[in-house]
Amino acid sequence: MRKETGEEIDPELVIKLSYFLGFDREKVWHLIEKNYLARNWGRYTFLLRFDKELSHIDRGTVLYEKDRSFEMITGFPKIRRAMVLDPAVKKHFVGLEKVEVEEKMNGYNVRIAAIKNDVLAITRSGYICPYTTQKAKEKLNLEFFDDFPELVIYAEMVGPDNPYISKNIYDVESVEFYVFDVRKKNSGEPLSISKKQEILKKYGFIQVKSFGEISLDTAPVEISKIVRKLGEKEHEGVVIKDPEMILSPLKYTSSQSNCADLRHAFKFYNEAGRDYMLSRIVREGFQTVEWNEKEVEFDKRCIQLGKSILSPLRESIRYIKEGHRLYEEARIRVRDLKTVAEFHEYLSRLGIDAVFEEPQFVGGEYLIAIKKINKSTNDKTQAIWQGELW
Amino acid sequence: MRKETGEEIDPELVIKLSYFLGFDREKVWHLIEKNYLARNWGRYTFLLRFDKELSHIDRGTVLYEKDRSFEMITGFPKIRRAMVLDPAVKKHFVGLEKVEVEEKMNGYNVRIAAIKNDVLAITRSGYICPYTTQKAKEKLNLEFFDDFPELVIYAEMVGPDNPYISKNIYDVESVEFYVFDVRKKNSGEPLSISKKQEILKKYGFIQVKSFGEISLDTAPVEISKIVRKLGEKEHEGVVIKDPEMILSPLKYTSSQSNCADLRHAFKFYNEAGRDYMLSRIVREGFQTVEWNEKEVEFDKRCIQLGKSILSPLRESIRYIKEGHRLYEEARIRVRDLKTVAEFHEYLSRLGIDAVFEEPQFVGGEYLIAIKKINKSTNDKTQAIWQGELW
């Protein structure tokens, strides 16, 4: 059996996967043929990843052969958003007395797990990022993975040396991994908040900030206070959780985070998703009504929204008018230049057009600036300045 | 031969259309079968309209049998937009010495023509609107259509009694038809500006405001002045034309018009097209850079943009929170209540959910308020207030 690309499909693999996943063989064959279940490349061809969301499997879920069967690491479950805290929180968590509130950080989601005698960092889409993997190995207490090979760390990689989302707001010098969930392999079942906190503390992992358990009755009011304070520091918002982690979590974000998203989206206006932009604008509308804002506060919100949209737009349009090419700046910091080469190749394979600057030797490590080119916004804007019509 | 709906397709009609349009019979049959070429209903079943844009035929083009052949009224050609005046205008009209600048009005586009011993108003999509038709008969000098049965009037219906786009900015008491083009049947060929103005003047038609002929060299500067002034009165912008009407026209709009569009779009945020919203925001970015605005002017633009988005959004969200249903208000004014019934049936057939209030007898005519319900925004907002997640 062969895929359209000419690649052969191993019939034995199909049989084994069919057994493990509980799917018909035809379905497994179809998933592989269509690349919905695809292999990683290079050293990681053993790792299969779900490139599509299936009925009971999140996109980015990965699996690999182990002990004549498979081991699976489930993807990031999509966390639904409360557009208004009251009544969404009470309705969603009905029956609970208390909810746990944790900070939602603005970083890059990764899963870190022991896989085939190695520790690997898996991205949201199910790729192995060589840079993130290297950083995880440097930053985390790897004994954890020896002691609990069946557990997976779900974390945000944050800090200025994060090549995906570079932020200076968290008092992190290079990058750190802030853990928000610990889940079991195969089932994806999360540890309860208390068990998670206990085990992470024992191994010295950094955890996302906890605001503790809050009574469900007062949760909307309390959470709005927390989110306002987080917003003042340009922090993103919160994730609201069932302490036992049985009910699914909810998220809620600050106005500043919406506006920060908009600033980024309008800088690259021809790349950003229309729905992404609109949803962030609509959130501002609901928040101002829910928080019952006075005209002074409302005016401030309007100015902030207008500037978040128009400032980056003006900057990009002007910059391209002056003959420059627009790009996103990123930075990585490595001990070994081999990681740079691997990361460069990794980005190319993902189709990201990036220019790597010369490494700078700083404090025993190499700092490398990266320019990620946003072709669509560049080309569109340039064409308009040359008189092209809309 | 039958369509999927069970409606019969007349083979003779297919042959005749194939001859008139110069298409294969299979293609004509396909167009009819798919309803890309569809019949109007009621009294107007004789009128076929193109419901899709074809390679050389604009959407909304209509045709009907006449003298053993057909007569065709071409649709509204899509007018392309200059995102920046310089160099777009010079590039588009290269070779001309002068361009004609006319006001682009914010109304409802209609074509008015003599069809089968009647005068009918055809909408952009190729429907016969009974209200617009009645108004056209009352307002226009119908002798024109006797003298020039081969010509079609392309006009904007503007004013407060326009049920589609109700505006009070034009000093029109009820509705008026502002003519912008006169075109020939079948070919769609437009009269030159001077011929158009002469013939319209002779028959006493109201014309869109002309800013006269402007030298191509100074056009970008002059037009930006005109557009700024129009913007101050909340007027929409301009259409820039080849005086001979050989090259296609261009449009350019004021910031106020962009913001007015946004105010309307964000009032009905779940109905409005994402691309519609984004394009109007992006225009603001290009205009501020092209006009080289200082920080004070830029800040004003940001505030105006922020308010244009957030004020209607807040108003709708609040209004629905308070238990109301959101709707668009419109108004018609008729001499005969028969027109009301016809118009109501017409809107239903188009799938528009509208509530007609009791007629008020005012100055010898009936005024009828209409509430057009925007189901999608109502339902979405209400669900969020009941705790639904995004």
Side-chain angles (χ1 to χ4, degrees):
Chain A
M1 280 186 280
R2 280 173 180 282
K3 294 164 67 172
E4 282 160 30
T5 54
E7 200 187 323
E8 270 202 64
I9 301 176
D10 175 4
E12 208 182 319
L13 177 72
V14 171
I15 294 166
K16 283 194 281 182
L17 278 169
S18 152
Y19 193 76
F20 178 74
L21 294 168
F23 292 169
D24 291 345
R25 288 179 197 179
E26 288 71 29
K27 182 168 176 183
V28 173
W29 203 86
H30 180 76
L31 291 175
I32 296 176
E33 192 194 28
K34 290 278 177 193
N35 262 332
Y36 296 162
L37 184 56
R39 285 198 184 281
N40 273 270
W41 59 78
R43 272 190 280 165
Y44 307 115
T45 48
F46 63 85
L47 198 73
L48 293 160
R49 55 180 195 84
F50 282 94
D51 200 45
K52 291 269 174 204
E53 191 172 328
L54 306 188
S55 52
H56 294 291
I57 297 175
D58 284 313
R59 181 172 171 271
T61 293
V62 296
L63 44 80
Y64 46 92
E65 294 193 59
K66 198 190 168 189
D67 302 338
R68 306 172 134 243
S69 178
F70 288 89
E71 199 160 67
M72 184 161 75
I73 294 171
T74 54
F76 288 89
K78 204 167 165 10
I79 298 181
R80 300 199 69 191
R81 170 178 303 276
M83 285 295 284
V84 294
L85 287 166
D86 196 359
V89 172
K90 288 182 188 169
K91 196 177 164 195
H92 184 80
F93 292 108
V94 65
L96 296 190
E97 271 182 30
K98 293 179 171 206
V99 288
E100 169 78 18
V101 178
E102 291 180 352
E103 180 171 352
K104 178 182 191 318
M105 297 180 83
N106 196 347
Y108 192 67
N109 276 189
V110 282
R111 287 161 286 171
I112 302 145
I115 299 176
K116 300 209 175 229
N117 302 318
D118 203 352
V119 169
L120 298 176
I122 308 156
T123 70
R124 180 176 273 282
S125 305
Y127 296 106
I128 306 295
C129 169
Y131 177 71
T132 312
T133 295
Q134 179 56 31
K135 286 286 142 183
K137 284 178 180 170
E138 291 170 17
K139 295 284 178 181
L140 302 180
N141 177 355
L142 301 179
E143 273 176 39
F144 172 87
F145 300 99
D146 293 331
D147 298 349
F148 297 101
E150 76 283 11
L151 294 182
V152 183
I153 294 295
Y154 287 64
E156 293 271 359
M157 177 167 71
V158 300
D161 296 337
N162 176 343
Y164 303 106
I165 296 166
S166 170
K167 292 274 171 194
N168 277 310
I169 53 177
Y170 291 117
D171 197 26
V172 168
E173 208 203 319
S174 176
V175 288
E176 294 294 350
F177 293 85
Y178 282 76
V179 183
F180 55 87
D181 276 350
V182 178
R183 291 174 181 262
K184 292 178 187 161
K185 283 179 179 169
N186 295 324
S187 68
E189 193 196 333
L191 301 190
S192 70
I193 302 291
S194 57
K195 274 200 189 145
K196 172 190 79 165
Q197 289 176 340
E198 186 193 322
I199 202 167
L200 291 174
K201 195 175 167 196
K202 187 176 159 204
Y203 286 86
F205 282 78
I206 302 174
Q207 302 185 40
V208 295
K209 186 177 168 61
S210 163
F211 297 95
E213 290 189 359
I214 295 178
S215 158
L216 188 60
D217 282 344
T218 55
V221 175
E222 294 297 319
I223 293 169
S224 87
K225 281 185 206 161
I226 293 168
V227 168
R228 273 172 222 249
K229 281 212 174 154
L230 286 172
E232 285 168 18
K233 298 184 290 179
E234 294 277 314
H235 284 213
E236 196 173 9
V238 296
V239 177
I240 308 152
K241 293 176 166 177
D242 172 359
E244 292 303 318
M245 288 297 281
I246 293 165
L247 297 176
S248 61
L250 282 190
K251 58 186 174 186
Y252 187 78
T253 50
S254 68
S255 172
Q256 289 81 354
S257 149
N258 295 335
C259 288
D261 284 353
L262 288 170
R263 281 197 295 276
H264 187 265
F266 279 97
K267 184 167 180 190
F268 306 106
Y269 70 91
N270 219 40
E271 261 97 8
R274 308 320 193 216
D275 284 340
Y276 179 94
M277 292 162 160
L278 181 75
S279 62
R280 272 139 188 93
I281 292 173
V282 171
R283 286 177 206 165
E284 290 298 291
F286 276 95
Q287 202 171 64
T288 190
V289 177
E290 182 175 25
W291 292 4
N292 208 4
E293 287 182 335
K294 296 200 181 69
E295 286 314 299
V296 183
E297 293 160 321
F298 179 71
D299 285 353
K300 260 195 215 163
R301 199 184 275 270
C302 287
I303 294 170
Q304 199 183 318
L305 176 68
K307 290 210 166 182
S308 302
I309 292 172
L310 217 46
S311 294
L313 201 50
R314 174 177 71 163
E315 208 183 317
S316 293
I317 291 169
R318 225 187 230 167
Y319 193 71
I320 295 167
K321 188 187 183 198
E322 288 163 358
H324 306 291
R325 293 285 283 173
L326 201 66
Y327 52 84
E328 261 179 285
E329 278 174 304
R331 193 176 85 181
I332 58 174
R333 188 190 299 245
V334 297
R335 291 182 188 166
D336 186 341
L337 289 176
K338 201 173 59 133
T339 310
V340 181
E342 285 174 1
F343 185 58
H344 201 161
E345 203 214 318
Y346 172 75
L347 290 183
S348 311
R349 293 213 62 149
L350 291 180
I352 296 167
D353 191 2
V355 177
F356 282 55
E357 303 287 314
E358 279 300 301
Q360 306 294 318
F361 195 68
V362 178
E365 291 185 298
Y366 298 97
L367 266 180
I368 296 101
I370 301 171
K371 293 178 177 175
K372 291 190 272 180
I373 308 292
N374 300 75
K375 201 170 150 38
S376 166
T377 301
N378 275 302
D379 292 353
K380 178 81 177 170
T381 312
Q382 207 177 15
I384 288 172
W385 282 122
Q386 286 162 2
E388 194 187 272
L389 308 173
W390 186 259
Chain B
M1 282 184 281
R2 280 176 179 279
K3 294 164 66 172
E4 282 160 30
T5 54
E7 199 188 323
E8 268 202 65
I9 301 177
D10 174 4
E12 208 183 318
L13 176 73
V14 172
I15 294 166
K16 283 195 279 182
L17 278 169
S18 152
Y19 192 76
F20 178 73
L21 294 167
F23 292 169
D24 291 344
R25 288 179 196 178
E26 288 71 28
K27 183 168 175 181
V28 173
W29 203 84
H30 180 77
L31 290 174
I32 296 176
E33 192 194 28
K34 290 277 177 195
N35 261 331
Y36 296 163
L37 184 55
R39 284 198 183 281
N40 272 271
W41 59 77
R43 271 189 281 164
Y44 307 115
T45 47
F46 63 85
L47 197 73
L48 294 161
R49 56 181 193 82
F50 281 94
D51 198 46
K52 290 269 174 204
E53 191 173 329
L54 306 188
S55 51
H56 293 291
I57 296 177
D58 284 313
R59 180 171 171 274
T61 293
V62 296
L63 43 81
Y64 46 91
E65 293 193 61
K66 197 189 170 189
D67 302 338
R68 306 173 135 242
S69 178
F70 289 89
E71 199 160 67
M72 183 160 76
I73 295 172
T74 54
F76 288 89
K78 204 168 168 7
I79 299 182
R80 299 199 69 190
R81 170 179 302 277
M83 285 294 284
V84 293
L85 287 165
D86 195 359
V89 172
K90 288 181 188 169
K91 197 178 164 192
H92 184 79
F93 293 108
V94 65
L96 297 189
E97 270 181 33
K98 291 176 173 209
V99 288
E100 170 78 17
V101 178
E102 291 179 353
E103 181 171 352
K104 177 182 189 320
M105 297 180 84
N106 196 348
Y108 192 66
N109 276 187
V110 283
R111 289 161 283 171
I112 302 145
I115 300 176
K116 298 206 178 234
N117 300 320
D118 202 353
V119 169
L120 298 177
I122 308 155
T123 71
R124 181 177 272 283
S125 306
Y127 296 106
I128 305 296
C129 170
Y131 177 71
T132 312
T133 295
Q134 180 55 33
K135 286 285 142 186
K137 283 179 180 168
E138 292 168 15
K139 295 284 177 181
L140 301 180
N141 177 357
L142 301 178
E143 273 176 39
F144 172 86
F145 300 99
D146 292 332
D147 298 349
F148 298 100
E150 77 283 12
L151 294 183
V152 182
I153 294 293
Y154 287 65
E156 293 271 359
M157 177 167 72
V158 299
D161 297 336
N162 175 343
Y164 303 107
I165 296 166
S166 170
K167 292 274 170 194
N168 276 310
I169 53 177
Y170 291 117
D171 199 26
V172 168
E173 208 203 322
S174 175
V175 288
E176 295 293 352
F177 293 86
Y178 283 76
V179 183
F180 56 85
D181 276 350
V182 177
R183 290 172 183 265
K184 294 179 188 159
K185 283 179 178 169
N186 296 325
S187 68
E189 193 195 335
L191 301 191
S192 70
I193 302 291
S194 57
K195 275 201 187 141
K196 173 190 79 165
Q197 290 175 340
E198 187 193 320
I199 203 166
L200 290 173
K201 196 176 167 195
K202 190 175 157 202
Y203 287 85
F205 282 79
I206 302 175
Q207 302 184 41
V208 295
K209 185 177 168 61
S210 163
F211 297 95
E213 291 189 359
I214 295 178
S215 157
L216 188 60
D217 282 343
T218 56
V221 175
E222 295 297 321
I223 293 168
S224 87
K225 281 185 205 158
I226 293 169
V227 168
R228 273 172 223 248
K229 281 211 175 153
L230 286 172
E232 284 166 19
K233 299 184 288 179
E234 294 276 314
H235 284 214
E236 196 173 9
V238 296
V239 177
I240 308 152
K241 293 177 166 176
D242 171 0
E244 292 304 318
M245 288 297 281
I246 293 165
L247 297 176
S248 62
L250 282 190
K251 60 186 173 186
Y252 188 79
T253 50
S254 68
S255 172
Q256 289 81 355
S257 149
N258 294 335
C259 288
D261 284 353
L262 287 171
R263 280 197 296 276
H264 187 265
F266 278 97
K267 184 168 180 191
F268 306 106
Y269 70 91
N270 220 39
E271 261 96 8
R274 304 329 189 208
D275 284 339
Y276 179 94
M277 292 162 160
L278 181 73
S279 62
R280 273 138 188 94
I281 293 173
V282 172
R283 286 178 205 165
E284 290 297 290
F286 276 94
Q287 203 172 63
T288 190
V289 177
E290 183 175 24
W291 292 4
N292 209 4
E293 287 181 335
K294 296 201 183 69
E295 287 313 300
V296 184
E297 292 160 323
F298 178 71
D299 284 354
K300 261 196 216 160
R301 198 184 275 269
C302 288
I303 294 169
Q304 198 183 319
L305 176 68
K307 290 210 165 179
S308 303
I309 292 172
L310 219 45
S311 294
L313 200 51
R314 174 176 72 164
E315 208 182 317
S316 292
I317 291 170
R318 226 187 228 166
Y319 193 72
I320 294 168
K321 188 187 182 198
E322 288 163 358
H324 306 291
R325 293 285 284 174
L326 201 66
Y327 53 83
E328 262 179 286
E329 279 174 304
R331 195 176 83 181
I332 57 174
R333 189 190 298 246
V334 296
R335 291 182 188 166
D336 187 340
L337 289 176
K338 202 173 59 133
T339 310
V340 181
E342 284 175 2
F343 184 58
H344 201 160
E345 203 214 320
Y346 172 76
L347 290 183
S348 310
R349 292 213 63 149
L350 291 180
I352 296 167
D353 191 3
V355 177
F356 281 56
E357 304 286 316
E358 280 299 302
Q360 305 294 317
F361 195 68
V362 178
E365 291 186 296
Y366 297 98
L367 265 180
I368 296 101
I370 300 171
K371 292 178 176 176
K372 292 192 270 180
I373 308 292
N374 300 76
K375 201 167 149 37
S376 165
T377 300
N378 274 302
D379 292 353
K380 179 80 177 172
T381 311
Q382 206 177 16
I384 289 172
W385 283 122
Q386 287 162 1
E388 195 187 270
L389 308 173
W390 186 259

